[in-house]
mmCIF file of all heavy atoms in Angstrom:
data_model
loop_
_atom_site.group_PDB
_atom_site.id
_atom_site.type_symbol
_atom_site.label_atom_id
_atom_site.label_comp_id
_atom_site.label_asym_id
_atom_site.label_seq_id
_atom_site.Cartn_x
_atom_site.Cartn_y
_atom_site.Cartn_z
ATOM 1 N N ALA A 135 2.730 55.708 11.180
ATOM 2 C CA ALA A 135 1.960 56.920 10.873
ATOM 3 C C ALA A 135 2.855 58.157 10.953
ATOM 4 O O ALA A 135 2.826 59.022 10.069
ATOM 5 C CB ALA A 135 0.777 57.048 11.842
ATOM 6 N N TRP A 136 3.670 58.225 11.998
ATOM 7 C CA TRP A 136 4.598 59.360 12.151
ATOM 8 C C TRP A 136 5.586 59.392 10.977
ATOM 9 O O TRP A 136 5.786 60.430 10.348
ATOM 10 C CB TRP A 136 5.348 59.247 13.483
ATOM 11 C CG TRP A 136 6.146 60.468 13.858
ATOM 12 C CD1 TRP A 136 5.748 61.468 14.688
ATOM 13 C CD2 TRP A 136 7.474 60.818 13.423
ATOM 14 N NE1 TRP A 136 6.746 62.420 14.800
ATOM 15 C CE2 TRP A 136 7.821 62.042 14.040
ATOM 16 C CE3 TRP A 136 8.414 60.218 12.575
ATOM 17 C CZ2 TRP A 136 9.055 62.674 13.835
ATOM 18 C CZ3 TRP A 136 9.646 60.842 12.365
ATOM 19 C CH2 TRP A 136 9.954 62.056 12.989
ATOM 20 N N LEU A 137 6.177 58.252 10.697
ATOM 21 C CA LEU A 137 7.183 58.168 9.635
ATOM 22 C C LEU A 137 6.604 58.598 8.286
ATOM 23 O O LEU A 137 7.244 59.336 7.527
ATOM 24 C CB LEU A 137 7.738 56.745 9.549
ATOM 25 C CG LEU A 137 8.590 56.281 10.750
ATOM 26 C CD1 LEU A 137 8.737 54.758 10.745
ATOM 27 C CD2 LEU A 137 9.961 56.953 10.760
ATOM 28 N N ASP A 138 5.388 58.155 7.991
ATOM 29 C CA ASP A 138 4.763 58.472 6.694
ATOM 30 C C ASP A 138 4.531 59.974 6.529
ATOM 31 O O ASP A 138 4.806 60.543 5.471
ATOM 32 C CB ASP A 138 3.421 57.731 6.554
ATOM 33 C CG ASP A 138 3.602 56.227 6.326
ATOM 34 O OD1 ASP A 138 4.733 55.798 5.997
ATOM 35 O OD2 ASP A 138 2.612 55.486 6.489
ATOM 36 N N ILE A 139 4.000 60.606 7.565
ATOM 37 C CA ILE A 139 3.695 62.038 7.487
ATOM 38 C C ILE A 139 4.979 62.858 7.359
ATOM 39 O O ILE A 139 5.067 63.789 6.555
ATOM 40 C CB ILE A 139 2.885 62.484 8.732
ATOM 41 C CG1 ILE A 139 1.483 61.849 8.680
ATOM 42 C CG2 ILE A 139 2.789 64.011 8.808
ATOM 43 C CD1 ILE A 139 0.731 61.924 9.983
ATOM 44 N N VAL A 140 5.964 62.489 8.146
ATOM 45 C CA VAL A 140 7.225 63.235 8.140
ATOM 46 C C VAL A 140 7.956 63.045 6.815
ATOM 47 O O VAL A 140 8.498 64.003 6.245
ATOM 48 C CB VAL A 140 8.081 62.830 9.364
ATOM 49 C CG1 VAL A 140 9.506 63.354 9.253
ATOM 50 C CG2 VAL A 140 7.416 63.362 10.645
ATOM 51 N N GLU A 141 7.931 61.826 6.280
ATOM 52 C CA GLU A 141 8.572 61.582 4.986
ATOM 53 C C GLU A 141 7.877 62.372 3.875
ATOM 54 O O GLU A 141 8.532 62.975 3.013
ATOM 55 C CB GLU A 141 8.561 60.089 4.645
ATOM 56 C CG GLU A 141 9.211 59.799 3.298
ATOM 57 C CD GLU A 141 9.391 58.311 2.999
ATOM 58 O OE1 GLU A 141 9.048 57.466 3.858
ATOM 59 O OE2 GLU A 141 9.876 57.999 1.902
ATOM 60 N N ALA A 142 6.553 62.400 3.908
ATOM 61 C CA ALA A 142 5.798 63.129 2.884
ATOM 62 C C ALA A 142 6.117 64.624 2.941
ATOM 63 O O ALA A 142 6.224 65.286 1.916
ATOM 64 C CB ALA A 142 4.300 62.901 3.069
ATOM 65 N N HIS A 143 6.297 65.144 4.137
ATOM 66 C CA HIS A 143 6.561 66.577 4.292
ATOM 67 C C HIS A 143 7.965 66.964 3.832
ATOM 68 O O HIS A 143 8.139 67.902 3.055
ATOM 69 C CB HIS A 143 6.362 67.018 5.745
ATOM 70 C CG HIS A 143 6.669 68.462 5.960
ATOM 71 N ND1 HIS A 143 5.781 69.466 5.645
ATOM 72 C CD2 HIS A 143 7.790 69.083 6.421
ATOM 73 C CE1 HIS A 143 6.339 70.652 5.918
ATOM 74 N NE2 HIS A 143 7.558 70.443 6.381
ATOM 75 N N TYR A 144 8.978 66.235 4.316
ATOM 76 C CA TYR A 144 10.366 66.635 4.031
ATOM 77 C C TYR A 144 10.930 65.980 2.778
ATOM 78 O O TYR A 144 12.035 66.300 2.361
ATOM 79 C CB TYR A 144 11.272 66.303 5.224
ATOM 80 C CG TYR A 144 10.941 67.073 6.485
ATOM 81 C CD1 TYR A 144 10.307 66.440 7.562
ATOM 82 C CD2 TYR A 144 11.268 68.416 6.614
ATOM 83 C CE1 TYR A 144 10.004 67.129 8.728
ATOM 84 C CE2 TYR A 144 10.969 69.123 7.781
ATOM 85 C CZ TYR A 144 10.337 68.474 8.830
ATOM 86 O OH TYR A 144 10.041 69.156 9.982
ATOM 87 N N LYS A 145 10.184 65.044 2.194
ATOM 88 C CA LYS A 145 10.605 64.342 0.971
ATOM 89 C C LYS A 145 11.913 63.565 1.174
ATOM 90 O O LYS A 145 12.748 63.479 0.281
ATOM 91 C CB LYS A 145 10.784 65.332 -0.204
ATOM 92 C CG LYS A 145 9.627 66.291 -0.411
ATOM 93 C CD LYS A 145 8.473 65.623 -1.140
ATOM 94 C CE LYS A 145 7.414 66.607 -1.619
ATOM 95 N NZ LYS A 145 6.563 67.148 -0.541
ATOM 96 N N VAL A 146 12.079 63.018 2.365
ATOM 97 C CA VAL A 146 13.257 62.192 2.640
ATOM 98 C C VAL A 146 12.865 61.163 3.700
ATOM 99 O O VAL A 146 12.020 61.443 4.554
ATOM 100 C CB VAL A 146 14.445 63.071 3.129
ATOM 101 C CG1 VAL A 146 14.125 63.801 4.415
ATOM 102 C CG2 VAL A 146 15.706 62.237 3.291
ATOM 103 N N LYS A 147 13.440 59.966 3.602
ATOM 104 C CA LYS A 147 13.123 58.918 4.584
ATOM 105 C C LYS A 147 13.675 59.304 5.946
ATOM 106 O O LYS A 147 14.868 59.583 6.080
ATOM 107 C CB LYS A 147 13.757 57.592 4.168
ATOM 108 C CG LYS A 147 12.829 56.774 3.310
ATOM 109 C CD LYS A 147 12.971 55.279 3.571
ATOM 110 C CE LYS A 147 11.980 54.512 2.717
ATOM 111 N NZ LYS A 147 10.594 55.001 2.815
ATOM 112 N N PRO A 148 12.826 59.314 6.974
ATOM 113 C CA PRO A 148 13.344 59.586 8.318
ATOM 114 C C PRO A 148 14.266 58.457 8.790
ATOM 115 O O PRO A 148 14.186 57.325 8.320
ATOM 116 C CB PRO A 148 12.088 59.639 9.190
ATOM 117 C CG PRO A 148 10.943 59.825 8.254
ATOM 118 C CD PRO A 148 11.362 59.157 6.970
ATOM 119 N N VAL A 149 15.134 58.816 9.711
ATOM 120 C CA VAL A 149 16.000 57.863 10.390
ATOM 121 C C VAL A 149 15.266 57.388 11.642
ATOM 122 O O VAL A 149 14.602 58.181 12.315
ATOM 123 C CB VAL A 149 17.330 58.546 10.788
ATOM 124 C CG1 VAL A 149 18.196 57.647 11.660
ATOM 125 C CG2 VAL A 149 18.087 58.989 9.537
ATOM 126 N N ILE A 150 15.377 56.103 11.959
ATOM 127 C CA ILE A 150 14.841 55.580 13.228
ATOM 128 C C ILE A 150 15.990 55.444 14.219
ATOM 129 O O ILE A 150 17.009 54.822 13.909
ATOM 130 C CB ILE A 150 14.184 54.207 13.032
ATOM 131 C CG1 ILE A 150 12.921 54.327 12.173
ATOM 132 C CG2 ILE A 150 13.862 53.571 14.387
ATOM 133 C CD1 ILE A 150 12.300 52.978 11.800
ATOM 134 N N TYR A 151 15.816 56.055 15.405
ATOM 135 C CA TYR A 151 16.774 55.866 16.495
ATOM 136 C C TYR A 151 16.158 54.951 17.537
ATOM 137 O O TYR A 151 15.039 55.184 18.001
ATOM 138 C CB TYR A 151 17.125 57.201 17.170
ATOM 139 C CG TYR A 151 17.843 57.009 18.495
ATOM 140 C CD1 TYR A 151 19.225 56.871 18.533
ATOM 141 C CD2 TYR A 151 17.138 56.913 19.693
ATOM 142 C CE1 TYR A 151 19.896 56.656 19.736
ATOM 143 C CE2 TYR A 151 17.793 56.695 20.897
ATOM 144 C CZ TYR A 151 19.169 56.568 20.917
ATOM 145 O OH TYR A 151 19.823 56.330 22.108
ATOM 146 N N THR A 152 16.898 53.914 17.931
ATOM 147 C CA THR A 152 16.475 53.058 19.032
ATOM 148 C C THR A 152 17.660 52.203 19.435
ATOM 149 O O THR A 152 18.741 52.315 18.865
ATOM 150 C CB THR A 152 15.255 52.196 18.638
ATOM 151 O OG1 THR A 152 14.687 51.638 19.831
ATOM 152 C CG2 THR A 152 15.618 51.080 17.666
ATOM 153 N N ASN A 153 17.451 51.343 20.425
ATOM 154 C CA ASN A 153 18.533 50.415 20.770
ATOM 155 C C ASN A 153 18.276 49.056 20.127
ATOM 156 O O ASN A 153 17.160 48.764 19.694
ATOM 157 C CB ASN A 153 18.725 50.320 22.290
ATOM 158 C CG ASN A 153 17.519 49.734 22.985
ATOM 159 O OD1 ASN A 153 17.200 48.563 22.831
ATOM 160 N ND2 ASN A 153 16.816 50.568 23.751
ATOM 161 N N ALA A 154 19.323 48.262 20.056
ATOM 162 C CA ALA A 154 19.269 47.010 19.302
ATOM 163 C C ALA A 154 18.166 46.080 19.808
ATOM 164 O O ALA A 154 17.391 45.525 19.015
ATOM 165 C CB ALA A 154 20.632 46.318 19.362
ATOM 166 N N ALA A 155 18.061 45.925 21.122
ATOM 167 C CA ALA A 155 17.061 45.006 21.679
ATOM 168 C C ALA A 155 15.645 45.494 21.401
ATOM 169 O O ALA A 155 14.754 44.712 21.058
ATOM 170 C CB ALA A 155 17.277 44.845 23.188
ATOM 171 N N PHE A 156 15.424 46.811 21.529
ATOM 172 C CA PHE A 156 14.090 47.371 21.296
ATOM 173 C C PHE A 156 13.695 47.202 19.834
ATOM 174 O O PHE A 156 12.552 46.869 19.519
ATOM 175 C CB PHE A 156 14.067 48.855 21.696
ATOM 176 C CG PHE A 156 12.674 49.441 21.731
ATOM 177 C CD1 PHE A 156 11.923 49.412 22.896
ATOM 178 C CD2 PHE A 156 12.119 50.014 20.599
ATOM 179 C CE1 PHE A 156 10.632 49.947 22.929
ATOM 180 C CE2 PHE A 156 10.835 50.555 20.621
ATOM 181 C CZ PHE A 156 10.097 50.518 21.794
ATOM 182 N N TYR A 157 14.638 47.431 18.942
ATOM 183 C CA TYR A 157 14.348 47.287 17.512
ATOM 184 C C TYR A 157 13.854 45.873 17.221
ATOM 185 O O TYR A 157 12.853 45.674 16.532
ATOM 186 C CB TYR A 157 15.586 47.591 16.660
ATOM 187 C CG TYR A 157 15.273 47.619 15.178
ATOM 188 C CD1 TYR A 157 14.890 48.805 14.563
ATOM 189 C CD2 TYR A 157 15.300 46.458 14.399
ATOM 190 C CE1 TYR A 157 14.554 48.852 13.218
ATOM 191 C CE2 TYR A 157 14.975 46.492 13.051
ATOM 192 C CZ TYR A 157 14.598 47.688 12.464
ATOM 193 O OH TYR A 157 14.250 47.712 11.136
ATOM 194 N N GLU A 158 14.557 44.898 17.760
ATOM 195 C CA GLU A 158 14.201 43.513 17.452
ATOM 196 C C GLU A 158 12.860 43.122 18.059
ATOM 197 O O GLU A 158 12.106 42.372 17.461
ATOM 198 C CB GLU A 158 15.356 42.586 17.851
ATOM 199 C CG GLU A 158 16.456 42.766 16.804
ATOM 200 C CD GLU A 158 17.772 42.057 17.075
ATOM 201 O OE1 GLU A 158 17.874 41.330 18.087
ATOM 202 O OE2 GLU A 158 18.688 42.251 16.260
ATOM 203 N N LYS A 159 12.548 43.691 19.210
ATOM 204 C CA LYS A 159 11.285 43.336 19.860
ATOM 205 C C LYS A 159 10.090 44.086 19.265
ATOM 206 O O LYS A 159 9.033 43.506 19.042
ATOM 207 C CB LYS A 159 11.378 43.628 21.364
ATOM 208 C CG LYS A 159 10.112 43.247 22.111
ATOM 209 C CD LYS A 159 10.271 43.332 23.619
ATOM 210 C CE LYS A 159 8.986 42.917 24.311
ATOM 211 N NZ LYS A 159 8.998 43.187 25.758
ATOM 212 N N TYR A 160 10.245 45.382 19.014
ATOM 213 C CA TYR A 160 9.090 46.215 18.667
ATOM 214 C C TYR A 160 9.003 46.651 17.205
ATOM 215 O O TYR A 160 7.991 47.183 16.790
ATOM 216 C CB TYR A 160 9.047 47.459 19.557
ATOM 217 C CG TYR A 160 8.582 47.146 20.957
ATOM 218 C CD1 TYR A 160 9.499 46.998 21.994
ATOM 219 C CD2 TYR A 160 7.234 46.963 21.234
ATOM 220 C CE1 TYR A 160 9.070 46.692 23.280
ATOM 221 C CE2 TYR A 160 6.796 46.659 22.512
ATOM 222 C CZ TYR A 160 7.715 46.525 23.529
ATOM 223 O OH TYR A 160 7.289 46.216 24.791
ATOM 224 N N MET A 161 10.077 46.466 16.449
ATOM 225 C CA MET A 161 10.044 46.957 15.063
ATOM 226 C C MET A 161 10.227 45.828 14.071
ATOM 227 O O MET A 161 9.277 45.349 13.498
ATOM 228 C CB MET A 161 11.084 48.055 14.884
ATOM 229 C CG MET A 161 10.745 49.245 15.766
ATOM 230 S SD MET A 161 11.865 50.614 15.552
ATOM 231 C CE MET A 161 11.591 51.474 17.081
ATOM 232 N N GLY A 162 11.465 45.408 13.863
ATOM 233 C CA GLY A 162 11.669 44.261 12.992
ATOM 234 C C GLY A 162 11.722 44.616 11.514
ATOM 235 O O GLY A 162 11.747 45.781 11.132
ATOM 236 N N PRO A 163 11.703 43.560 10.667
ATOM 237 C CA PRO A 163 12.029 43.695 9.244
ATOM 238 C C PRO A 163 11.165 44.690 8.476
ATOM 239 O O PRO A 163 11.620 45.240 7.482
ATOM 240 C CB PRO A 163 11.822 42.285 8.694
ATOM 241 C CG PRO A 163 11.898 41.384 9.878
ATOM 242 C CD PRO A 163 11.439 42.182 11.059
ATOM 243 N N GLU A 164 9.933 44.933 8.919
ATOM 244 C CA GLU A 164 9.082 45.842 8.136
ATOM 245 C C GLU A 164 9.616 47.276 8.139
ATOM 246 O O GLU A 164 9.206 48.093 7.310
ATOM 247 C CB GLU A 164 7.633 45.801 8.635
ATOM 248 C CG GLU A 164 7.416 46.337 10.022
ATOM 249 C CD GLU A 164 6.082 45.887 10.615
ATOM 250 O OE1 GLU A 164 6.025 44.782 11.183
ATOM 251 O OE2 GLU A 164 5.107 46.649 10.502
ATOM 252 N N PHE A 165 10.563 47.578 9.028
ATOM 253 C CA PHE A 165 11.147 48.927 9.069
ATOM 254 C C PHE A 165 12.561 48.952 8.496
ATOM 255 O O PHE A 165 13.271 49.942 8.622
ATOM 256 C CB PHE A 165 11.130 49.467 10.504
ATOM 257 C CG PHE A 165 9.727 49.699 11.008
ATOM 258 C CD1 PHE A 165 9.095 48.738 11.786
ATOM 259 C CD2 PHE A 165 9.028 50.847 10.668
ATOM 260 C CE1 PHE A 165 7.792 48.928 12.231
ATOM 261 C CE2 PHE A 165 7.721 51.044 11.106
ATOM 262 C CZ PHE A 165 7.098 50.083 11.886
ATOM 263 N N ASN A 166 12.937 47.856 7.823
ATOM 264 C CA ASN A 166 14.314 47.750 7.332
ATOM 265 C C ASN A 166 14.683 48.775 6.274
ATOM 266 O O ASN A 166 15.859 49.006 6.018
ATOM 267 C CB ASN A 166 14.591 46.346 6.778
ATOM 268 C CG ASN A 166 14.939 45.360 7.884
ATOM 269 O OD1 ASN A 166 14.984 45.714 9.050
ATOM 270 N ND2 ASN A 166 15.163 44.121 7.506
ATOM 271 N N GLU A 167 13.685 49.377 5.618
ATOM 272 C CA GLU A 167 14.046 50.335 4.556
ATOM 273 C C GLU A 167 14.426 51.698 5.144
ATOM 274 O O GLU A 167 14.942 52.553 4.429
ATOM 275 C CB GLU A 167 12.900 50.484 3.551
ATOM 276 C CG GLU A 167 11.805 51.413 4.028
ATOM 277 C CD GLU A 167 10.414 50.780 4.018
ATOM 278 O OE1 GLU A 167 10.259 49.661 4.528
ATOM 279 O OE2 GLU A 167 9.498 51.432 3.493
#
Side-chain angles (χ1 to χ4, degrees):
W136 190 97
L137 292 164
D138 288 345
I139 292 166
V140 168
E141 180 172 358
H143 178 80
Y144 296 106
K145 311 281 192 286
V146 61
K147 269 215 178 309
V149 173
I150 293 173
Y151 166 87
T152 194
N153 64 68
F156 191 90
Y157 187 90
E158 285 173 3
K159 182 171 181 189
Y160 285 100
M161 297 183 201
E164 66 198 85
F165 294 97
N166 278 359
E167 80 235 49

